[in-house]
Amino acid sequence: MNATVIQVPFLNLMANIQQRAGEVRIRVGGNTQETAVLVESTPDGRIIEKDINGASNPVRVLDPSMTFFDLKLHDAFQTQTPPLDFTPDLLYMMRNISSFVNVRWFLGIPFNDTTNFRLAIAERGQEILGDYLIGLQAGNEPDLYTRHIAQSYGPYDYLGEMQNLVNAMNNDANVLNRNLLIGPNIATGDWHPEDVWNTGFVDALSDNLAYLAVENYPTDNCYAQFHVGNPVDPQAEFPAFLNHNAGKNIITKYLNSTAYAQTKGKKLLMFETNTASCGGFGGISDVFGAALWGLDYGLQMAYSNFSGALMHVGGQNVYYNVSLLTLEC
């Protein structure tokens, strides 16, 4: 796809969702956003160019004294995310999609170098997408940053960097809308949401926060993908998805946060979720039972005062992507 050639099956899928829901909300980002660079063109003319040889977990530039050896010590936590360059044509493609169907977009501001924020995606995103841009994620899973670098990083560090981001945006005349930020986007791995709320995060940044957000999965398939963690047998795991407690168990740890968000007049999003992180499972993520689980989980989130949720899809090797079916007579 590019700005002028958009796949019709994708538009049909978006139109089907719009017909039932009124609009579609899509996030373009994730781990890739942390190292993404907006360039005017790429050598091969593509709108996105990945550096596969540089694949890793996004590296934070916090300590200039860190060496390549220091970074290699953290290979156990790599998710093989390639750095990428992208051109404005990607944003024009998104805008053209929104001309056909009612799609609204979330983008992400790179957070791997918070001394020199790269705000081009916010600048050009607002210029090209206009009101179709409804949020800018600031930091993807910051509670996992300490797993990717040889330095401690806590909720107060994240708050400080968010304040630096707001200052950078305030000093950038090309960032016209400065109240689209989304945070804290934690995976509820090394921090709990309350750890962030207790820093005064919401009060300090209220004028700039469009949404509060968390990210979570019920399990992971990281051992099969990256040899991290413990192996999981999908068939032994599948029954856990087939009862009403499945969705409730994910959400229980966020009930304090949904109530807290209401007291602050903010909407709380489940900004990334699906059957399992690291690409999901064959035999779970791609079967009808997962669809039933997703419906029950989504309704449970709505009942628990989440204001929205984004089901994660990814590269061509993940099991929960939408597949095109070929019908033969």
Side-chain angles (χ1 to χ4, degrees):
M1 292 193 291
N2 57 41
T4 56
V5 180
I6 302 171
Q7 296 293 328
V8 173
F10 174 80
L11 292 176
N12 287 342
L13 174 61
M14 296 300 100
N16 284 332
I17 298 173
Q18 176 191 298
Q19 186 175 18
R20 292 158 176 80
E23 71 176 44
V24 187
R25 297 186 172 189
I26 300 176
R27 171 196 182 202
V28 178
N31 281 340
T32 53
Q33 77 194 30
E34 303 285 48
T35 55
V37 178
L38 178 61
V39 296
E40 289 305 312
S41 63
T42 60
D44 60 9
R46 296 180 179 179
I47 63 174
I48 295 177
E49 190 154 280
K50 296 181 179 180
D51 177 11
I52 302 299
N53 292 329
S56 67
N57 235 48
V59 173
R60 297 298 314 284
V61 183
L62 290 178
D63 183 353
S65 67
M66 288 183 69
T67 67
F68 179 75
F69 177 74
D70 294 326
L71 299 176
K72 291 297 288 183
L73 292 176
H74 295 266
D75 276 352
F77 299 105
Q78 305 291 355
T79 57
Q80 299 304 303
T81 300
L84 62 83
D85 292 340
F86 67 100
T87 73
D89 208 33
L90 173 66
L91 300 172
Y92 283 113
M93 178 188 71
M94 294 159 58
R95 180 62 179 83
N96 289 341
I97 290 170
S98 295
S99 297
F100 289 107
V101 286
N102 188 19
V103 176
R104 311 285 165 147
W105 303 93
F106 298 106
L107 295 173
I109 295 173
F111 237 66
N112 70 319
D113 184 356
T114 55
T115 58
N116 298 287
F117 281 104
R118 298 191 302 281
L119 297 178
I121 192 167
E123 299 168 353
R124 299 301 298 276
Q126 292 183 21
E127 173 194 340
I128 295 168
L129 296 173
D131 291 341
Y132 290 109
L133 177 61
I134 59 173
L136 292 166
Q137 186 186 24
N140 184 61
E141 300 176 339
D143 55 324
L144 303 187
Y145 285 167
T146 53
R147 301 187 185 188
H148 312 322
I149 60 172
Q151 182 171 332
S152 63
Y153 184 90
Y156 280 97
D157 297 302
Y158 176 66
L159 171 61
E161 293 189 333
M162 284 288 290
Q163 291 172 318
N164 292 341
L165 172 60
V166 169
N167 290 336
M169 294 174 70
N170 287 339
N171 291 321
D172 186 338
N174 294 317
V175 179
L176 302 179
N177 188 343
R178 294 155 185 164
N179 58 1
L180 291 177
L181 296 182
I182 302 170
N185 316 302
I186 66 170
T188 320
D190 294 349
W191 309 344
H192 296 285
E194 291 81 3
D195 296 328
V196 181
W197 312 145
N198 290 341
T199 67
F201 176 86
V202 179
D203 290 335
L205 300 165
S206 182
D207 291 344
N208 303 97
L209 287 169
Y211 300 95
L212 305 179
V214 293
E215 305 179 11
N216 203 238
Y217 295 80
T219 186
D220 71 80
N221 194 24
C222 297
Y223 183 86
Q225 294 280 9
F226 310 114
H227 302 291
V228 175
N230 299 311
V232 177
D233 178 359
Q235 291 308 303
E237 191 76 14
F238 190 34
F241 288 83
L242 301 180
N243 66 78
H244 184 53
N245 287 328
K248 292 173 65 176
N249 290 341
I250 302 172
I251 294 166
T252 297
K253 56 184 169 289
Y254 298 115
L255 294 180
N256 287 339
S257 295
T258 57
Y260 175 77
Q262 290 181 302
T263 68
K264 297 297 183 180
K266 296 294 182 183
K267 296 180 178 181
L268 180 66
L269 304 178
M270 179 64 75
F271 208 56
E272 179 180 320
T273 192
N274 212 305
T275 45
S277 60
C278 296
F281 295 102
I284 295 181
S285 306
D286 51 0
V287 302
F288 183 65
L292 296 177
W293 166 82
L295 287 171
D296 184 71
Y297 176 29
L299 292 170
Q300 189 65 36
M301 281 190 280
Y303 173 77
S304 302
N305 292 315
F306 276 88
S307 296
L310 297 175
M311 300 299 285
H312 190 55
V313 297
Q316 296 179 352
N317 63 335
V318 302
Y319 290 105
Y320 41 60
N321 280 353
V322 175
S323 299
L324 296 178
L325 300 179
T326 301
L327 301 180
E328 297 181 359
C329 297

